[in-house]
Amino acid sequence: MTAQATYYIIRALVALVAIPFHEAGHALAAWLLGDATAKREGRLSLNPFAHFDLLGTLCMVFAGVGWAKPVSTNPRNFKNPKWGMALTALAGPVANLVLAYLGMVAWKVMYYWAPVNNATIYIAMFLRYLVLMNVSLAVFNLIPVPPLDGSRILLVVLPQRIYFGLMRYEKYIMIVMLAAVWGDFLDTPLYYLNNVVWSLLGAGTGYIDKIAYAVYASSLGAVI
């Protein structure tokens, strides 16, 4: 198998984990806040086929930006519709960041303690791309542009007249956004934002590095 084929297979496997986690995060938040619409539709699930959109998944694997089936919500079921919609939208990126953190923990544990063989090399590659894709999904979806999750969070801070006026052009704005992504116009800001999040995850898992160094020093008879 070529290196490129391996790369795309691993990205596909990661997408089948990351995308359902994101969508299930929305569904779980909506359910906890009082709206069971997504739960009734089977979206409170990590089954990839519950969220699967073929074109969106292919774009995620080959272009780095994709989508799943939208999670349905009914704002009237929330005690506070404005905050309910915002928190439900925020839950998707938060779910990706949680998964990225867990992926980095597993990746570091493997780096320090797993034996080196073909199986662990592929698992480490999977975990690395798991962190990368989840960070990218979280950062990209927090951009405050419709129909991304960040635009739903805007509902909390913008007057409703301005917000819903903006939503009228949601489809056109999304086309412009995708063109900007595929034209590489957002590469630089997304690169720096992803690096900031990666650094925070690295700092948040720094205790694993300290444990590994302490174990190594102890094996040499050093006193820390």
Side-chain angles (χ1 to χ4, degrees):
M1 186 182 297
T2 66
Q4 187 175 35
T6 301
Y7 167 76
Y8 283 120
I9 289 172
I10 290 175
R11 280 186 65 89
L13 293 174
V14 169
L16 292 176
V17 176
I19 293 176
F21 219 79
H22 179 99
E23 301 303 329
H26 289 313
L28 177 61
W31 179 56
L32 292 175
L33 291 167
D35 178 25
T37 304
K39 185 176 185 295
R40 287 195 301 268
E41 294 178 354
R43 303 301 299 278
L44 187 52
S45 169
L46 294 179
N47 179 0
F49 296 104
H51 313 282
F52 187 70
D53 180 283
L54 178 60
L55 181 59
T57 302
L58 290 174
C59 287
M60 190 72 226
V61 173
F62 294 102
V65 176
W67 57 90
K69 291 189 298 185
V71 171
S72 300
T73 53
N74 186 344
R76 289 175 293 184
N77 291 328
F78 297 129
K79 291 182 180 178
N80 185 319
K82 181 183 290 188
W83 277 100
M85 290 296 291
L87 292 172
T88 297
L90 181 62
V94 168
N96 286 129
L97 291 176
V98 169
L99 190 54
Y101 178 83
L102 295 175
M104 183 167 282
V105 168
W107 184 37
K108 285 191 173 184
V109 168
M110 287 199 66
Y111 176 81
Y112 288 116
W113 291 293
V116 178
N117 53 50
N118 287 337
T120 56
I121 288 172
Y122 286 124
I123 293 171
M125 289 173 63
F126 173 86
L127 291 171
R128 180 174 181 273
Y129 284 120
L130 183 71
V131 178
L132 287 170
M133 187 175 290
N134 277 281
V135 168
S136 296
L137 275 172
V139 169
F140 183 73
N141 273 284
L142 285 173
I143 297 174
V145 172
L148 301 178
D149 296 328
S151 69
R152 308 299 191 237
I153 300 169
L154 278 181
L155 182 59
V156 175
V157 296
L158 287 180
Q160 289 192 17
R161 178 178 57 83
I162 296 176
Y163 177 81
F164 287 111
L166 186 64
M167 289 300 110
R168 291 171 54 193
Y169 304 99
E170 180 175 350
K171 293 181 180 178
Y172 304 104
I173 294 172
M174 188 57 184
I175 291 172
V176 173
M177 171 63 70
L178 289 175
V181 171
W182 289 330
D184 299 331
F185 297 110
L186 295 179
D187 279 6
T188 299
L190 289 176
Y191 170 80
Y192 285 110
L193 289 171
N194 287 341
N195 276 353
V196 168
V197 177
W198 183 278
S199 297
L200 291 173
L201 290 173
T205 55
Y207 62 91
I208 299 175
D209 304 303
K210 292 179 180 178
I211 292 172
Y213 298 150
V215 170
Y216 177 71
S218 176
S219 69
L220 297 177
V223 177
I224 300 177

